[in-house]
Amino acid sequence: MVTGFSSRGPNALVPELQKPDIIATGQNIVAAWSGWDVPLEKKKHNYRFESGTSMACPHVAGVAALIKKKHPSWTPAMIRSALMTTAATLDNTDRDIVDDGVTDNSGARIATPFAAGAGHVRPQLALDPGLVYDAGPRDYVDFLCSLNYSKEELRRFAPGMSSCPRVLPGVPAGLNYPSFVVIFDNDTNVRTLTRTVTLVSGKAETYNVTYVAPKLVKVTVTPTTLEFKKPSERKSYTVEFRSLAEGNNTTTSDFGYISWENKEHLVRSPVAFQWKT
């Protein structure tokens, strides 16, 4: 269950970037503490229950450290991808993760990606994700340029940059991220995004795509099969999202996912759809 005080999406600063990324255990965690705020002679124990991001964050950081130990050459983006694309959307009883932050009369509802991100971290699967979405410095420079960062602001991240070298179509939504945000507005009912995945398993593999989308969206993935012949090989695919909503439709957001699968791996990316008028 996503606890009631957990931060929620959508992303207020960059709506095209899905947040949160992932969730982890963070409530009523037995934690060691130094007792710095209590005189030694009055301290009765060395452990207590803690809740919040101060508990969830070290869980995720610890898993990331384990992945880095096994895969020393992986970039932070590859590690993030492994965490997200292998995350669980079901709890340990195989039921949907629910959202404790819902306060309406219907009780707890299924947690959407705006509450749970890609899902709950699963360390064992994250060590062997099959495919990853990588992103390097150039990708982030393009991303910052798409947000209209000034020359001075860009130099804080890329000292050698005097201006934006290029602005790619679809950015910032086109950043090679392990999730998608598709925003429809009065100007367009079609969004096309491209992603690139890298094979990180130790052998050749073939993946087929599956997806789930709301009835108001038609999804076309090209190609529908990715065949990798060797480790570290990269393949790109394009997704066209077409809104079928009428002008008087009251839907403001909905969700789905895109998944690349074979018998050994499932690489799942959440998709958030938003309609703005």
Side-chain angles (χ1 to χ4, degrees):
M1 178 181 291
V2 181
T3 189
F5 55 75
S6 184
S7 297
R8 301 296 197 277
N11 189 330
L13 295 178
V14 187
E16 298 88 350
L17 195 64
Q18 164 64 29
K19 292 295 176 178
D21 286 335
I22 202 168
I23 56 172
T25 309
Q27 184 165 341
N28 291 335
I29 306 301
V30 178
W33 63 298
S34 64
W36 59 270
D37 55 342
V38 179
L40 183 61
E41 62 273 12
K42 294 184 178 180
K43 188 169 68 172
K44 297 180 180 180
H45 50 77
N46 296 322
Y47 299 89
R48 65 180 177 187
F49 285 100
E50 295 281 10
S51 298
T53 54
S54 56
M55 293 291 98
C57 182
H59 278 92
V60 175
V63 178
L66 291 174
I67 296 174
K68 186 67 173 176
K69 177 66 175 179
K70 183 176 180 180
H71 306 286
S73 64
W74 281 18
T75 66
M78 294 168 75
I79 294 174
R80 175 185 59 211
S81 176
L83 292 169
M84 292 177 61
T85 60
T86 60
T89 58
L90 302 177
D91 65 17
N92 58 357
T93 64
D94 290 331
R95 293 180 294 185
D96 288 312
I97 295 174
V98 296
D99 186 354
D100 191 41
V102 176
T103 57
D104 61 14
N105 294 330
S106 65
R109 296 184 297 185
I110 295 174
T112 72
F114 285 160
H120 195 278
V121 62
R122 290 193 287 187
Q124 292 87 346
L125 292 182
L127 289 168
D128 179 26
L131 302 175
V132 294
Y133 294 82
D134 195 10
R138 182 63 177 267
D139 298 288
Y140 288 106
V141 168
D142 291 338
F143 176 74
L144 296 177
C145 286
S146 73
L147 300 178
N148 297 318
Y149 270 52
S150 68
K151 295 180 181 179
E152 291 72 22
E153 290 169 329
L154 273 175
R155 289 195 185 104
R156 297 180 183 180
F157 302 95
M161 288 292 175
S162 59
S163 63
C164 287
R166 59 178 180 170
V167 177
L168 301 180
V171 177
L175 180 65
N176 200 43
Y177 217 74
S179 59
F180 295 80
V181 176
V182 182
I183 300 177
F184 300 112
D185 53 32
N186 292 330
D187 295 328
T188 182
N189 64 342
V190 178
R191 297 291 183 188
T192 302
L193 297 175
T194 298
R195 292 290 192 269
T196 300
V197 287
T198 303
L199 181 69
V200 291
S201 62
K203 60 181 180 180
E205 287 189 312
T206 298
Y207 288 81
N208 295 308
V209 72
T210 62
Y211 56 84
V212 168
K215 294 181 180 180
L216 294 176
V217 179
K218 179 182 178 181
V219 176
T220 304
V221 182
T222 307
T224 58
T225 299
L226 297 177
E227 183 178 355
F228 297 87
K229 297 181 180 180
K230 58 183 179 180
S232 300
E233 187 175 359
R234 294 160 61 90
K235 296 283 185 179
S236 297
Y237 66 94
T238 299
V239 190
E240 180 188 89
F241 303 95
R242 183 177 297 271
S243 174
L244 305 178
E246 300 292 337
N248 60 353
N249 187 271
T250 57
T251 299
T252 57
S253 62
D254 213 330
F255 306 93
Y257 66 83
I258 293 174
S259 179
W260 292 95
E261 305 175 13
N262 58 28
K263 292 182 179 180
E264 297 184 9
H265 297 105
L266 189 154
V267 186
R268 183 181 182 277
S269 295
V271 184
F273 300 93
Q274 293 182 274
W275 284 263
K276 294 185 177 181
T277 58

